[in-house]
Amino acid sequence: MTVLAYQDFLQTASQKLSDSHNIGRRNAVLVVNFERLAELDGVLGFAMVDEIIRKISWQLRDSLNPEDLVGVTGRYQISCLLVDLLTDAHAMLAAHKILRILMHPFVSGRRSIVLAARIGVAVSNRDDHTLDQLMSNASLAIRQARLEQEPIKLFVAEMEDPLLLQIDLWSDLGNAIETRELYLSYQPQISTTSGKIESTEALLRWNHPNRGPIRPDKLIQVAEGTELMSKLTLWVFHTALRECSEYRKAGLDAGVSINFSADDLRDPELPELVLQGLSLWGVPPGNVTVELTETAVMENHVGTLDTLHKLKDTGLRLAMDDFGTGYSSMARMLDLPLDEIKIDMVFVKHMTTRRTHDRIVDSMINLAHRLNLSVVAEGVEDFATYERLRALGCDMIQGYFIGKAMPLPELIEAVVNQSPKFLKMTLQDSADN
Ligand code: C2E
Ligand code: CA
Ligand code: CA
């Protein structure tokens, strides 16, 4: 019965784990992390902190069964292998017992120190759980405990996915920009007065070779905050302009709306890149709308407002996306060189059944018009909503009622075939359908 050093712990615990798997026993790994010790290094000195960890590891050793193993597996970390457990709950009981011990202040000379600890628990009840796997699962549980401000967390399979998925997707996304896995789909926006398609919104699609289609909001989340975001936006911008010029040649006299993220607005080179794209593809800037979310636009970053004005100077239009869901200050809104607001579908969805929603949409349309902004309503799924929005003076409509987003060839085909739904949609046509 001793406390093991890192390598000895790994070796002995691996051996013990495989022995006990052979006779069908249930085991668990507990990883105990001391988050405050890094600060104490500077205050008490390294030798003292090492001494604290050593003493605590002995206390834990004494509190567990003789068969269990305890090792110091990092400067601020102790790991335990619990063997031959009756149930998973016994692993949690052991974790609580350890936590109780650690709640007592640790006395060192004249000082008494409270050590904040977090414990991640990973139970093995399948034969294929190696020590390495259990240790990383317990570490993921600690990460989750930190996020939730909890002292103890049991690993569950769902914890693994988001993080691993993020890492995998991020590296795959870099390649996907170069290959043909990414493409854009275009969702028509029609005018309520003419019934014609005025613009389309370019929406990103990723058909992952192994995982299938990846939701665009998820994909943006993976790219955001990394250098991939500006690469991705530039790809979207160029592709959307090129394809827009193609559908214009095929006879669809419409503009295109492109989503930019909050990250993009922090890039001082963006306006110049946008200018280059516009001149390369020859789409008139007045037919190009950049959609920004309320959160991105309202962000108080020094460069954001400047970038927005420079973007506006290129001649393109600016739209505030998902209007009503973020937080807007009216004062800030007046500073922004906006052309359009897009009312979020949460308000549109229920407007024919809930009076308050209808009132909110009505007020948004009036407010926008008073500020000389045009209004697009998103998520219009039925004729009744379309008709009501038209009566309220909403300028443009987008939603499944008009059409879902479709890849370029499909859009062009609909145009060539003069699909009645997209090209000459009038109230009468819809009522007949
Ligand atoms: P968004 O900009 O609000 O896009 C509208 C979303 O609503 C799209 O989802 C669209 O397919 C969906 N939608 C349209 N009409 C209806 C309807 O009638 N009913 C319902 N239930 N949904 C409707 P999608 O394509 O999944 O995109 C999700 C989000 O991902 C977008 O929200 C946008 O925030 C982001 N996104 C997509 N493409 C890009 C891109 O190229 N760049 C950036 N930065 N973000 C993008
Ligand atoms: Ca949008
Ligand atoms: Ca939106």
Side-chain angles (χ1 to χ4, degrees):
M1 282 224 310
T2 181
V3 169
L4 301 165
Y6 185 43
Q7 290 300 337
D8 292 338
F9 178 82
L10 294 186
Q11 223 170 17
T12 322
S14 288
Q15 187 58 49
K16 204 155 191 154
L17 204 57
S18 73
D19 292 348
S20 90
H21 278 326
N22 290 339
I23 46 173
R25 286 180 170 166
R26 190 192 305 261
N27 309 289
V29 163
L30 266 58
V31 174
V32 188
N33 235 20
F34 298 91
E35 292 170 3
R36 279 196 56 219
L37 282 188
E39 295 165 28
L40 292 180
D41 265 342
V43 183
L44 304 175
F46 278 46
M48 176 64 87
V49 169
D50 286 344
E51 179 64 11
I52 292 175
I53 280 285
R54 211 181 57 79
K55 285 197 172 144
I56 293 173
S57 62
W58 277 102
Q59 283 182 7
L60 299 194
R61 167 65 287 168
D62 291 342
S63 72
L64 298 175
N65 293 335
E67 282 274 289
D68 301 335
L69 296 179
V70 176
V72 177
T73 49
R75 274 217 71 223
Y76 316 117
Q77 188 186 81
I78 297 170
S79 300
C80 313
L81 175 73
L82 312 183
V83 290
D84 203 8
L85 295 164
L86 283 176
T87 66
D88 292 4
H90 281 81
M92 290 303 276
L93 283 176
H96 282 282
K97 187 163 147 190
I98 289 177
L99 195 71
R100 267 198 308 279
I101 295 173
L102 298 173
M103 266 160 35
H104 292 297
F106 183 87
V107 182
S108 160
R110 285 178 295 111
R111 294 194 178 87
S112 103
I113 303 155
V114 180
L115 298 162
R118 257 184 242 287
I119 307 177
V121 183
V123 178
S124 127
N125 33 28
R126 293 200 316 256
D127 289 356
D128 57 0
H129 267 157
T130 61
L131 180 72
D132 190 50
Q133 220 172 348
L134 285 175
M135 300 251 324
S136 44
N137 289 352
S139 303
L140 282 175
I142 291 182
R143 181 179 166 270
Q144 193 63 32
R146 199 175 296 125
L147 288 175
E148 293 175 19
Q149 298 279 309
E150 296 279 348
I152 299 176
K153 207 84 206 167
L154 176 69
F155 171 81
V156 285
E158 294 82 68
M159 286 177 190
E160 186 177 35
D161 286 332
L163 190 67
L164 281 182
L165 190 66
Q166 294 262 92
I167 296 169
D168 286 354
L169 285 185
W170 192 85
S171 52
D172 294 348
L173 183 57
N175 299 326
I177 297 175
E178 260 95 62
T179 63
R180 308 203 98 241
E181 290 164 27
L182 291 183
Y183 64 95
L184 296 178
S185 266
Y186 298 90
Q187 187 175 32
Q189 297 178 344
I190 65 155
S191 151
T192 50
T193 45
S194 69
K196 295 231 167 66
I197 301 180
E198 294 273 318
S199 188
T200 74
E201 178 174 5
L203 293 161
L204 191 55
R205 298 287 177 260
W206 183 12
N207 216 347
H208 191 283
N210 311 321
R211 297 180 193 275
I214 307 283
R215 279 185 24 213
D217 44 349
K218 177 153 226 150
L219 145 61
I220 299 299
Q221 199 192 342
V222 167
E224 246 168 357
T226 79
E227 81 256 12
L228 274 187
M229 194 63 234
S230 53
K231 216 172 149 188
L232 191 62
T233 301
L234 212 59
W235 180 87
V236 170
F237 190 68
H238 278 276
T239 309
L241 289 184
R242 175 167 47 80
E243 299 196 330
C244 173
S245 81
E246 275 185 51
Y247 61 64
R248 289 169 71 82
K249 278 185 205 134
L252 177 62
D253 181 21
V256 68
S257 300
I258 303 167
N259 294 283
F260 278 16
S261 85
D263 273 10
D264 300 319
L265 295 185
R266 284 182 228 121
D267 178 2
E269 286 172 26
L270 184 74
E272 186 52 39
L273 295 171
V274 162
L275 261 182
Q276 287 169 9
L278 288 169
S279 79
L280 181 65
W281 300 111
V283 179
N287 285 306
V288 179
T289 305
V290 165
E291 296 190 6
L292 299 148
T293 60
E294 237 175 315
T295 330
V297 175
M298 291 295 159
E299 197 176 78
N300 239 343
H301 188 268
V302 246
T304 302
L305 195 61
D306 189 44
T307 306
L308 281 173
H309 280 282
K310 284 187 178 144
L311 279 180
K312 180 73 191 154
D313 290 344
T314 65
L316 52 66
R317 304 172 72 247
L318 292 179
M320 194 189 272
D321 204 355
D322 305 340
F323 186 70
T325 58
Y327 92 103
S328 320
S329 103
M330 288 296 152
R332 173 97 170 148
M333 231 182 117
L334 293 175
D335 286 341
L336 301 172
L338 290 175
D339 300 277
E340 176 180 298
I341 62 157
K342 296 188 76 178
I343 301 179
D344 193 83
M345 62 181 93
V346 294
F347 305 106
V348 174
K349 214 171 205 160
H350 304 291
M351 59 183 292
T352 53
T353 49
R354 294 189 201 158
R355 209 178 128 70
T356 45
H357 287 229
D358 182 87
R359 293 288 86 207
I360 287 174
V361 172
D362 186 16
S363 312
M364 283 175 174
I365 295 172
N366 284 325
L367 171 72
H369 283 166
R370 291 207 162 190
L371 296 171
N372 277 331
L373 304 174
S374 68
V375 184
V376 180
E378 282 192 283
V380 179
E381 293 186 354
D382 52 50
F383 177 63
T385 311
Y386 171 83
E387 202 178 37
R388 178 68 184 145
L389 284 160
R390 193 169 180 261
L392 291 176
C394 181
D395 306 284
M396 303 234 280
I397 300 290
Q398 181 182 345
Y400 295 166
F401 175 61
I402 310 299
K404 290 195 172 179
M406 54 200 133
L408 183 71
E410 225 179 283
L411 182 69
I412 289 185
E413 199 187 295
V415 174
V416 171
N417 292 339
Q418 299 273 304
S419 170
K421 193 136 200 192
F422 301 132
L423 292 184
K424 35 181 182 348
M425 218 196 74
T426 61
L427 268 179
Q428 194 48 51
D429 287 337
S430 323
D432 292 346
N433 282 341

